[in-house]
Amino acid sequence: MLTKRENLLETIRGGHPDRYVNSYEPYVLIVDPIMKAIGGMPFTMKPGDTDINGWGVKVDFPLGAPGPFPMHSEELTVLKDITKWKETVKAPRVVFSDEEWAETKAEVAKIDRKEYFVTGFIAPGIFEKVHYLMGMQEALISFYEEPEAMHELIDFLADWEISHGKEMMKHIQPDALFHHDDWGSQISSFISPEMFEEFLLPAYKKVYGYFKEQGCIIIHHSDSYGANLVPYMIEMGMDIWQGAMSTNNIPELIKKYKGQITFMGGIDNGIVDRADWTPEKIAEVVEKVCRETGTEFFIPGTTMGGPESVYPGVYDAVTKEIDRMSKIMFK
């Protein structure tokens, strides 16, 4: 039987996995001192909390929501004029002392790297940072009205992420990177493929290029529609698109891009992660997704951006059913 790490590598390389990679089982997600200090995330907040993150953005974690969201108003919005981003946007620090890294390094030292991937974590992503700072409406307008300033801001954010990555490499040498950046709704990307290619692709080629040079596999979370962006995901070096919703027609994407990228998801949280969930309903959904999608370049799991669920018990129920389907699909 392959280790969890070996089974993932066989899956993404088109080899001979002996079972499904079950959701997040091969990754040990590491929240480093940089991410902890930035805050505004589920690991620093609980439902009902509000916080000001390290970028100066007020975030709110509503009860019953999957995670925190940025708040915007005339008073709250950090970046009101994209052309003045240099005077306004202050990046969080990335350099922390060895003492401040000590707890994280001790946690990493206990991880069996033959079994698991030590997985660095970055969130929010580049597009998300932009609309966290500006608000979604103003951010989208600025792509059209102030492209030069938007290019500059995005380059600045990409360089900051690389600086973060260098500190990760210095202290914990991750085997993988799990990076959040939601790029769409359930049915459409937020920006056109052409605009994505112009603004976001170069930034991600820099960021993911750096991590790939260090030997990391790249897992990118975007629980959304993104079928129209897959060629750019491949070009930027993404190994696994995590959060791929069923609205993307994952079986068709696998046929089209087989061998170039692996799709992780297919089990939409909106369908299974509900107050009225039942083991029977989850079993039905998981079996349908696995049978329709097959075993190649596919990692079944919910579209949640972490090994968790909004409603207690859902994540465990899904992983139990994936194990059941492995015994059926990998005979």
Side-chain angles (χ1 to χ4, degrees):
M1 183 175 177
L2 297 170
T3 67
K4 294 178 177 67
R5 182 181 178 119
E6 290 168 342
N7 199 52
L8 178 81
L9 292 175
E10 289 294 310
T11 298
I12 68 176
R13 293 172 178 172
H16 300 283
D18 58 18
R19 62 198 185 278
Y20 280 124
V21 175
N22 193 334
S23 301
Y24 286 88
E25 67 175 4
Y27 323 119
V28 180
L29 300 180
I30 302 300
V31 181
D32 63 35
I34 301 167
M35 288 303 309
K36 289 176 182 175
I38 291 171
M41 298 294 292
F43 47 80
T44 62
M45 302 175 68
K46 62 182 183 296
D49 284 351
T50 59
D51 191 12
I52 305 293
N53 74 10
W55 295 90
V57 177
K58 184 175 182 179
V59 291
D60 180 45
F61 195 163
L63 295 171
F69 296 88
M71 305 296 289
H72 296 101
S73 67
E74 181 62 28
E75 178 185 350
L76 294 176
T77 300
V78 173
L79 181 56
K80 299 176 177 65
D81 183 347
I82 183 68
T83 66
K84 297 179 180 178
W85 74 266
K86 291 180 182 177
E87 303 98 277
T88 307
V89 177
K90 307 300 179 187
R93 70 180 175 119
V94 296
V95 177
F96 287 74
S97 68
D98 289 341
E99 290 75 17
E100 290 169 305
W101 274 92
E103 183 178 347
T104 302
K105 293 172 79 169
E107 176 187 353
V108 169
K110 296 176 184 177
I111 299 168
D112 180 358
R113 292 189 190 238
K114 293 181 180 179
E115 185 73 32
Y116 301 101
F117 290 87
V118 172
T119 305
F121 178 78
I122 293 179
I126 293 172
F127 177 75
E128 290 175 335
K129 286 185 183 74
V130 171
H131 75 74
Y132 268 48
L133 289 165
M134 301 183 67
M136 181 66 81
Q137 179 173 302
E138 289 303 315
L140 294 178
I141 290 171
S142 294
F143 278 104
Y144 289 95
E145 294 190 344
E146 298 291 346
E148 183 177 349
M150 185 63 80
H151 274 295
E152 291 175 352
L153 176 58
I154 288 173
D155 284 343
F156 171 79
L157 297 173
D159 288 342
W160 182 87
E161 289 199 356
I162 292 171
S163 297
H164 183 173
K166 288 179 178 179
E167 292 301 307
M168 281 190 206
M169 292 301 161
K170 177 181 175 182
H171 291 282
I172 62 171
Q173 299 82 46
D175 309 302
L177 173 69
F178 184 52
H179 191 292
H180 275 227
D181 206 12
D182 290 336
W183 291 334
S185 68
Q186 294 186 35
I187 59 174
S188 174
S189 58
F190 290 132
I191 60 177
S192 70
E194 294 77 16
M195 189 168 281
F196 187 96
E197 181 181 22
E198 177 184 349
F199 289 93
L200 291 177
L201 178 61
Y204 271 103
K205 286 176 77 170
K206 286 201 306 184
V207 174
Y208 288 169
Y210 170 76
F211 280 94
K212 297 284 276 191
E213 287 171 0
Q214 311 309 311
C216 291
I217 65 166
I218 307 297
I219 309 114
H220 182 103
H221 165 81
S222 180
D223 53 343
S224 62
Y225 179 84
N228 56 341
L229 305 178
V230 172
Y232 306 123
M233 297 181 191
I234 294 167
E235 186 176 346
M236 68 178 63
M238 192 186 300
D239 294 294
I240 300 167
W241 171 17
Q242 187 278 323
M245 299 188 71
S246 62
T247 50
N248 289 283
N249 194 344
I250 297 172
E252 286 300 314
L253 290 178
I254 292 172
K255 288 180 184 178
K256 189 171 183 178
Y257 300 107
K258 182 177 178 179
Q260 300 178 74
I261 189 170
T262 294
F263 301 92
M264 180 176 171
I267 303 167
D268 299 354
N269 276 73
I271 295 174
V272 299
D273 196 4
R274 304 159 50 103
D276 61 351
W277 76 273
T278 64
E280 293 76 19
K281 176 63 175 177
I282 286 177
E284 176 187 342
V285 172
V286 172
E287 179 159 350
K288 181 175 185 291
V289 168
C290 290
R291 289 191 182 278
E292 290 180 352
T293 313
T295 60
E296 293 186 303
F297 302 103
F298 176 57
I299 300 172
T302 63
T303 52
M304 192 84 162
E308 58 194 348
S309 55
V310 175
Y311 293 93
V314 169
Y315 181 81
D316 291 340
V318 169
T319 58
K320 178 181 177 181
E321 291 305 317
I322 293 170
D323 276 340
R324 180 178 69 84
M325 290 307 301
S326 278
K327 296 178 176 66
I328 294 170
M329 301 294 288
F330 286 83
K331 287 183 177 178

